[in-house]
Amino acid sequence: MAKVFQILVPDNTLVSRIISCENQVTELFVIDRADKKFVSDYSTDLNKPALYILVNRDKRQLYVGETDDSIKRLRNHEAKDFWTEAIVFHSTTDTLSTTEVKWLEAKTYEALKELGYYDLSENKQVPQQPPLKRNQIYTLEPIFEEAKNYICAAGFDIFLKKRVEAEETQQSKEPVEAQVSLPNVWLLPSSKKRFDLETCFAKYGEVYWRISNNFKRISKGDRGYVYSSDPDKAILYRFEVIESQIPYSKVMDRDDNFSKGKGETNKEFGANGGLFVLIRVNGTIKDKRFALPILLNNGLKGAPQGAIRISQKEYTPLLGFIDANFDKVPEKKVTRRKERRPPFKFSMIGLKIGDVVYFEHGDIPVTVVSENTIDYDSEIYTLSRFCKHFMPDENSENKEYQGPAHFLYNGRTLDDIRKEKEKK
């Protein structure tokens, strides 16, 4: 059915503009980043729940978001340098709620990610669809289509084209039998605050995982890893997909025993049309070899907030790093005990009975009378005991001394002579 759109250009510059359509209660604002006057003039229209997209058409970059107040949110985004225009879609009759625009945000992000024509890396976290009843989703689907039509009518190509990768073009030229569809690899986030996955795996070795958002592409034969959020903030499990797109059955109620949140049960999720995937754990690690900072250094773009298909080309370094290191046995650190030096003997440095050494404090001469004793004024001492008696310190009796460090032979301490000989 043909649609006629009206475009209002307040100052005849064809920059900031408002697009509307007859018999529809939605409208689209296109706002130039530098057009502060336009934002000010239409402030009363821009303070309601809305889906918004920040755009840089030259660099093909997008940021998808939702807000209760477009003016305030655009001001917050002035710190982002990349965007030049903003698209704001909302209801003229205030019929779109905050939850509904959150759904539109997630749906828009998912569609744009699937097309792959624009860079969405400015979205550090993947928007998640809020829990809605099936009839609410049926109502929002045509509104999402309206938004796409508005955006196209405004002159944006973000929903019109699909990127054709060079390797896909080459692949299409190959014989049909040579084209192999490889399994997807997934990174799934799990929260211990919401679900005790560790105990569930320990008891059953598997879990029924709810399918939502971009996880809908999951298929039997896929594989992946589970990232555990606070307090672990690391990948802890590897899994394989046993079955996919499974309708609810009573056996799935067993997993509700490990749930800690106040969300819907598996039965409720299934009653709303939700499907499940059965994943089986086939690897567990206890160390932090895949802690979040390490994952970020190897290609992850942020802490996982939703299912991520890491078999995509942009995650090739990350997937390679995880696959190569998951089964590696960590090296055990060996702590070597430092060997104690044997007690000092005069023979270690070539001295014999009758040789004379000097106490460095007062240059007092003493005579060697055995391997570890000296004679001074007809009394026998060890080197350490001599220090306690003759050290010029009123507290010397209560201190411990390394005797060889305080006696000299040919102008050098006995300890220095010993170290030199040990080194040789």
Side-chain angles (χ1 to χ4, degrees):
M1 180 178 178
K3 294 182 181 295
V4 178
F5 290 93
Q6 298 174 328
I7 302 177
L8 171 64
V9 185
D11 57 4
N12 297 319
T13 62
L14 294 179
V15 180
S16 297
R17 52 203 184 275
I18 305 171
I19 295 91
S20 59
C21 184
E22 188 175 6
N23 298 324
Q24 290 187 350
V25 294
T26 51
E27 63 184 358
L28 187 84
F29 280 67
V30 179
I31 305 170
D32 185 84
R33 180 177 181 134
D35 199 344
K36 309 295 184 186
K37 183 178 185 302
F38 178 86
V39 174
S40 177
D41 290 346
Y42 289 91
S43 59
T44 55
D45 297 279
L46 293 169
N47 62 353
K48 57 186 68 175
L51 163 72
Y52 71 91
I53 306 173
L54 306 181
V55 187
N56 185 318
R57 286 193 261 190
D58 292 335
K59 295 182 179 180
R60 295 201 172 279
Q61 288 180 283
L62 298 177
Y63 175 91
V64 181
E66 57 79 27
T67 182
D68 287 332
D69 188 333
S70 299
I71 295 178
K72 184 177 180 180
R73 186 58 56 87
L74 291 178
R75 286 172 181 165
N76 291 341
H77 283 314
E78 287 180 358
K80 296 182 184 292
D81 296 328
F82 81 94
W83 65 283
T84 56
E85 300 169 280
I87 300 170
V88 177
F89 175 79
H90 61 218
S91 167
T92 57
T93 57
D94 297 334
T95 53
L96 280 177
S97 67
T98 301
T99 303
E100 288 171 328
V101 296
K102 284 182 182 294
W103 185 91
L104 289 173
E105 174 199 28
K107 182 73 173 178
T108 301
Y109 180 91
E110 181 182 344
L112 293 172
K113 188 72 174 178
E114 183 70 24
L115 287 170
Y117 189 54
Y118 272 75
D119 177 11
L120 288 163
S121 60
E122 291 293 330
N123 277 89
K124 305 303 181 185
Q125 297 182 352
V126 177
Q128 301 296 306
Q129 289 189 3
L132 293 176
K133 296 187 180 298
R134 186 178 300 178
N135 63 325
Q136 291 177 289
I137 296 175
Y138 287 157
T139 302
L140 286 171
E141 288 283 3
I143 295 177
F144 170 67
E145 294 300 321
E146 278 183 29
K148 289 168 58 178
N149 290 334
Y150 274 117
I151 291 170
C152 292
F156 293 90
D157 65 355
I158 62 177
F159 286 109
L160 292 179
K161 299 180 181 180
K162 183 174 182 178
R163 178 185 298 163
V164 180
E165 301 286 0
E167 58 266 28
E168 291 177 352
T169 304
Q170 179 64 30
Q171 187 186 49
S172 65
K173 296 178 183 179
E174 296 175 357
V176 174
E177 60 271 19
Q179 298 183 21
V180 179
S181 178
L182 298 176
N184 286 316
V185 185
W186 300 88
L187 182 58
L188 304 181
S190 175
S191 171
K192 286 185 175 179
K193 296 178 181 178
R194 299 178 61 184
F195 192 87
D196 187 356
L197 189 61
E198 181 179 6
T199 305
C200 182
F201 276 156
K203 185 171 184 178
Y204 298 113
E206 58 190 24
V207 67
Y208 287 96
W209 203 286
R210 299 174 187 181
I211 298 177
S212 61
N213 300 333
N214 59 324
F215 196 39
K216 293 175 182 177
R217 298 181 61 171
I218 188 77
S219 300
K220 181 179 179 179
D222 286 359
R223 63 186 182 90
Y225 300 92
V226 178
Y227 172 89
S228 178
S229 57
D230 286 334
D232 301 302
K233 294 185 178 179
I235 290 176
L236 299 184
Y237 306 103
R238 183 178 58 195
F239 67 84
E240 57 183 330
V241 178
I242 305 304
E243 293 291 342
S244 183
Q245 313 299 327
I246 314 171
Y248 165 78
S249 64
K250 287 186 177 181
V251 68
M252 299 175 184
D253 292 345
R254 71 181 192 189
D255 292 352
D256 291 334
N257 296 325
F258 307 101
S259 178
K260 297 180 180 180
K262 298 180 180 179
E264 61 189 4
T265 63
N266 284 345
K267 182 178 181 179
E268 291 170 326
F269 182 77
N272 288 322
L275 298 175
F276 297 80
V277 57
L278 179 61
I279 66 174
R280 182 170 296 159
V281 64
N282 61 8
T284 303
I285 52 177
K286 298 295 184 181
D287 55 50
K288 292 298 183 74
R289 73 185 72 173
F290 298 124
L292 180 57
I294 298 174
L295 296 175
L296 294 174
N297 287 336
N298 284 277
L300 186 64
K301 298 177 182 178
Q305 302 297 317
I308 302 175
R309 189 161 54 93
I310 57 175
S311 50
Q312 298 178 82
K313 184 178 178 180
E314 62 186 301
Y315 291 108
T316 299
L318 176 66
L319 178 57
F321 169 72
I322 300 173
D323 281 349
N325 291 281
F326 193 91
D327 288 321
K328 276 189 176 181
V329 178
E331 294 182 2
K332 293 184 178 180
K333 293 184 178 180
V334 179
T335 303
R336 297 179 181 241
R337 295 182 63 184
K338 187 176 180 181
E339 293 184 8
R340 295 184 61 184
R341 297 172 77 194
F344 175 81
K345 295 180 179 180
F346 286 107
S347 60
M348 290 177 174
I349 60 174
L351 295 181
K352 57 186 181 302
I353 296 172
D355 287 338
V356 177
V357 295
Y358 292 84
F359 184 53
E360 65 176 350
H361 301 281
D363 202 24
I364 303 173
V366 297
T367 304
V368 177
V369 294
S370 75
E371 281 282 22
N372 56 7
T373 59
I374 55 176
D375 174 77
Y376 175 69
D377 200 16
S378 300
E379 188 171 347
I380 307 302
Y381 298 90
T382 62
L383 297 179
S384 298
R385 179 168 168 264
F386 189 92
C387 291
K388 285 178 178 264
H389 282 279
F390 295 97
M391 190 70 72
D393 184 347
E394 59 182 11
N395 295 317
S396 60
E397 285 289 342
N398 299 320
K399 293 184 178 179
E400 295 295 329
Y401 293 95
Q402 297 295 324
H406 299 281
F407 286 82
L408 306 175
Y409 183 73
N410 290 338
R412 300 174 62 200
T413 68
L414 304 186
D415 193 51
D416 285 344
I417 298 172
R418 176 185 181 180
K419 288 178 180 176
E420 181 179 346
K421 287 185 174 295
E422 288 175 342
K423 185 176 181 181
K424 288 180 180 181

